Amino acid sequence: MTLLLELGLLALGLYLAGELSRRAGVSPVVGYLLLGILLGPHGVVPVYRLGPTTELLGELGLLLLLFYLGMEFSLARLLEGTGPTLLAGVVDLANFAVGFGVAVVLGFGWLAGLFLGGVVYVSSSGVIARLLSDSELLAYPEAERTLGVLVFEDLAMVVVLVGLGLLTAGGGVGSFAGAALFLALYGLLARYGKRLLARLLDFEGEALALLALALLTLVAAGALALGFPAAVAAFLLGMAVAESGHRPRVESALRSWYDVAAASFFLVVGLRVDLTTALREVPLALLLVAVTVVAGLATGFLGGRASGLGRRAAVGHGLMLLPRGEFSLVIASLAADAGALPEATRQALLGATSLYVVIMVTIGSVVFARFDAVNDLLSRPLLTDVERGEQEALEALEGE
Amino acid sequence: MEDPASANGIEVREVTLPGVGKKYVMGLRAGGNLAVVVRPDGQRQIHHFLEHGDRPRDVVRVDADEAQQLANLLGRPLVQAPSVEDLDLVLGALEIDWVTLGETSPLAGRALGASQMRERTGASVIAILRDGRALANPGVDTVFQPGDTLLLIGSPAQTDAARSLIAG
């Protein structure tokens, strides 16, 4: 297959998969992932394979995903989130422990447990933000809390990624020294390099696109050489770019690269899934789904209540946080690269996570489409008589 | 920092919705509140909550241009109607008039001072609209151009005189 044909089929397939997902009312991430699983080397019809084109685009996609997340992330915004949000965010951390616990109980070991904890913990800010803005739920009291907790999760996720990256980098004092060196260089950039970065990116059009791309890939390559996770380096660079004030222009300059490469990343995750192995992991995936739903609703309710939401809104908070997506896949793809894990464990994690994400995104879409009904069903038994009375009065008013 | 807030003692709570936009919540004297969500693409959503309600009773979505029109509708009676009534009471016989300067007007190309508008008619030019911009309180050396719209103030007789002076 020529490179051109390969790229053409890739773009066409991704377009069709994305379009079908949208028609079905789920996130395109599901379509890209399933495309990779079903039409990959181990799939039903082997159309796509892991080759230079797909691997390059996939790797770039991972970097761009984290780079854009970093640009959108802001420490100030997290702190602006005030006490209630932080409190809800801390309660939400319990989901990490739940995922870790499941892995350890099933005998995967603690390292795989850290990966699985991350997979179960991180809600999909992309999927949730889009579901929320497409719905009429934006002004609900729990929407505000949910979006705040997502910012908290993004930060926690970076800590998890750094930790996992260092733990699986092959170990040794050398890799820690390299990582420390990278962080020190980054600290210098963040402290003194703001003007430098601002001047470097003060270009328009193709010059800006080329420079931003060079900066991203070279920083990631440098980080890798020093034994620091490239994905986290991309996130940190994104934060620095946001600080330089060039964020909107850099975002639009790299937008089409982002669209193509991020979609390719999900396809590549799918390509690496062995369908027969993955089907063997259906029980694990279903267990993870069940655990996530139960633990997620419980922590969402507790976190929501602790941060001052009413009972029904607290249940809603748990529901809104349910969708998992891109970042669970990012963590699973890192697990698949982790030499410290046995091959069987890596395949199990990747396969189970892929199925898990497909199911969780679908659950999320269903929940958001019928949010009030699902919320009522779950929260009615939890309400006090007074609250139930109030709601019935309001509903009676509605009916007028 | 709540800029649109508390303009007249009515409190507005501003909340950032990370990645989605901003939310402004205003309590209503009649009970309940209005939440206005502003998205980066300019779309606004107006959610109406009843008292004790944690779900909006109704949601209105408007695009940026519709929001502007809505603001005009809501703002007009507040800004204009009362002030025009007040003006009538205070100014009595005074009239504010708009006149557009034609190509053939004898004033075209002449300065405000040289036109002796005030001396000859009694009316004052308080603003000139030119190319969509307003020049407030033009000075004596401001030169009239064809197409200018002049905002005149004076008694009806004075503004009528000015009108004929401008028409030539």
Side-chain angles (χ1 to χ4, degrees):
Chain A
M1 207 188 291
T2 67
L3 287 179
L4 280 179
L5 181 60
E6 204 176 337
L7 186 60
L9 286 178
L10 184 84
L12 181 65
L14 287 171
Y15 161 72
L16 291 173
E19 199 50 39
L20 282 175
S21 313
R22 266 183 277 269
R23 294 256 169 95
V26 296
S27 161
V29 170
V30 169
Y32 305 149
L33 184 64
L34 286 177
L35 181 73
I37 296 178
L38 296 177
L39 300 188
H42 316 285
V44 187
V45 188
V47 176
Y48 300 105
R49 64 190 175 91
L50 284 169
T53 315
T54 45
E55 276 178 18
L56 174 67
L57 281 173
E59 206 167 323
L60 196 59
L62 176 62
L63 292 182
L64 283 166
L65 272 171
L66 272 294
F67 181 62
Y68 271 64
L69 185 70
M71 283 198 286
E72 275 163 35
F73 181 81
S74 120
L75 219 49
R77 199 193 263 170
L78 178 69
L79 298 175
E80 180 185 284
T82 66
T85 303
L86 294 182
L87 192 60
V90 171
V91 175
D92 182 55
L93 279 173
N95 289 299
F96 186 91
V98 170
F100 179 79
V102 168
V104 171
V105 167
L106 293 179
F108 282 111
W110 64 271
L111 184 56
L114 291 178
F115 279 106
L116 211 53
V119 166
V120 169
Y121 166 63
V122 186
S123 300
S124 166
S125 34
V127 171
I128 295 172
R130 202 182 44 75
L131 283 173
L132 271 179
S133 26
D134 290 351
S135 71
E136 315 250 290
L137 310 174
L138 262 183
Y140 281 36
E142 60 264 44
E144 175 186 333
R145 187 76 71 252
T146 302
L147 290 165
V149 167
L150 289 177
V151 178
F152 186 96
E153 283 195 1
D154 287 345
L155 179 68
M157 148 99 178
V158 169
V159 176
V160 169
L161 284 182
V162 173
L164 288 175
L166 294 183
L167 280 171
T168 53
V173 183
S175 73
F176 277 97
L181 178 62
F182 178 85
L183 282 177
L185 288 175
Y186 178 75
L188 284 178
L189 175 77
R191 181 75 185 77
Y192 301 106
K194 213 154 127 185
R195 294 244 306 278
L196 178 77
L197 201 57
R199 206 172 316 152
L200 190 61
L201 293 173
D202 195 12
F203 288 91
E204 298 292 334
E206 66 185 271
L208 180 64
L210 290 168
L211 268 175
L213 193 63
L215 191 65
L216 174 64
T217 45
L218 292 178
V219 165
L224 270 184
L226 290 172
F228 190 82
V232 180
F235 180 92
L236 293 175
L237 182 66
M239 277 175 74
V241 168
E243 282 289 305
S244 79
H246 288 302
R247 175 190 149 191
R249 295 173 45 250
V250 172
E251 269 184 357
S252 66
L254 292 183
R255 175 53 66 179
S256 51
W257 282 88
Y258 174 88
D259 289 339
V260 174
S264 305
F265 166 74
F266 298 117
L267 174 98
V268 169
V269 173
L271 291 184
R272 301 174 68 175
V273 173
D274 183 342
L275 190 57
T276 43
T277 319
L279 288 177
R280 241 178 285 140
E281 300 306 335
V282 167
L284 176 58
L286 290 178
L287 176 68
L288 289 178
V289 168
V291 164
T292 306
V293 170
V294 172
L297 288 178
T299 54
F301 181 74
L302 291 175
R305 289 297 286 161
S307 61
L309 292 179
R311 286 194 170 75
R312 185 162 73 168
V315 171
H317 177 52
L319 284 171
M320 282 184 182
L321 279 174
L322 279 184
R324 299 293 187 273
E326 63 275 32
F327 294 109
S328 298
L329 293 173
V330 166
I331 294 177
S333 79
L334 293 181
D337 286 332
L341 289 172
E343 173 63 27
T345 308
R346 284 189 261 166
Q347 266 303 321
L349 283 182
L350 192 63
T353 305
S354 301
L355 297 175
Y356 168 78
V357 166
V358 170
I359 301 172
M360 288 309 295
V361 168
T362 311
I363 290 180
S365 305
V366 172
V367 164
F368 273 80
R370 294 168 192 73
F371 189 82
D372 285 346
V374 177
N375 192 356
D376 281 342
L377 192 71
L378 293 171
S379 60
R380 199 135 285 210
L382 295 169
L383 298 182
T384 62
D385 288 342
V386 177
E387 286 169 322
R388 207 167 303 149
E390 263 174 16
Q391 268 168 30
E392 273 158 18
L394 283 172
E395 274 151 28
L397 212 58
E398 285 302 282
E400 273 172 17
Chain B
M1 298 297 286
E2 299 190 345
D3 32 328
S6 323
N8 32 29
I10 298 172
E11 210 168 292
V12 173
R13 188 170 64 97
E14 177 185 331
V15 189
T16 303
L17 302 175
V20 176
K22 288 213 173 235
K23 180 171 87 168
Y24 302 91
V25 184
M26 179 180 120
L28 298 175
R29 212 165 278 140
N33 61 59
L34 279 185
V36 178
V37 175
V38 181
R39 306 203 320 179
D41 61 5
Q43 194 202 73
R44 265 84 165 158
Q45 301 177 358
I46 305 163
H47 301 249
H48 177 210
F49 288 86
L50 296 176
E51 198 143 23
H52 301 300
D54 54 2
R55 288 177 191 167
R57 183 175 190 196
D58 201 4
V59 184
V60 179
R61 288 163 179 259
V62 285
D63 288 334
D65 49 348
E66 292 172 313
Q68 189 55 55
Q69 185 64 302
L70 188 60
N72 288 343
L73 290 177
L74 293 175
R76 179 159 295 155
L78 295 180
V79 177
Q80 285 198 339
S83 59
V84 169
E85 278 166 26
D86 289 349
L87 269 181
D88 277 348
L89 286 175
V90 176
L91 302 176
L94 281 191
E95 190 177 271
I96 297 176
D97 208 357
W98 296 99
V99 184
T100 302
L101 214 83
E103 294 282 344
T104 55
S105 167
L107 295 194
R110 296 181 66 182
L112 173 55
S115 74
Q116 293 189 304
M117 167 97 70
R118 175 94 153 271
E119 290 79 345
R120 287 161 66 184
T121 69
S124 295
V125 179
I126 54 176
I128 300 175
L129 261 193
R130 179 179 295 165
D131 301 331
R133 286 179 37 221
L135 311 172
N137 295 319
V140 284
D141 46 10
T142 306
V143 177
F144 293 122
Q145 293 174 10
D148 281 355
T149 299
L150 312 188
L151 180 54
L152 304 169
I153 189 165
S155 69
Q158 288 169 338
T159 53
D160 280 348
R163 197 178 268 281
S164 40
L165 174 68
I166 292 164

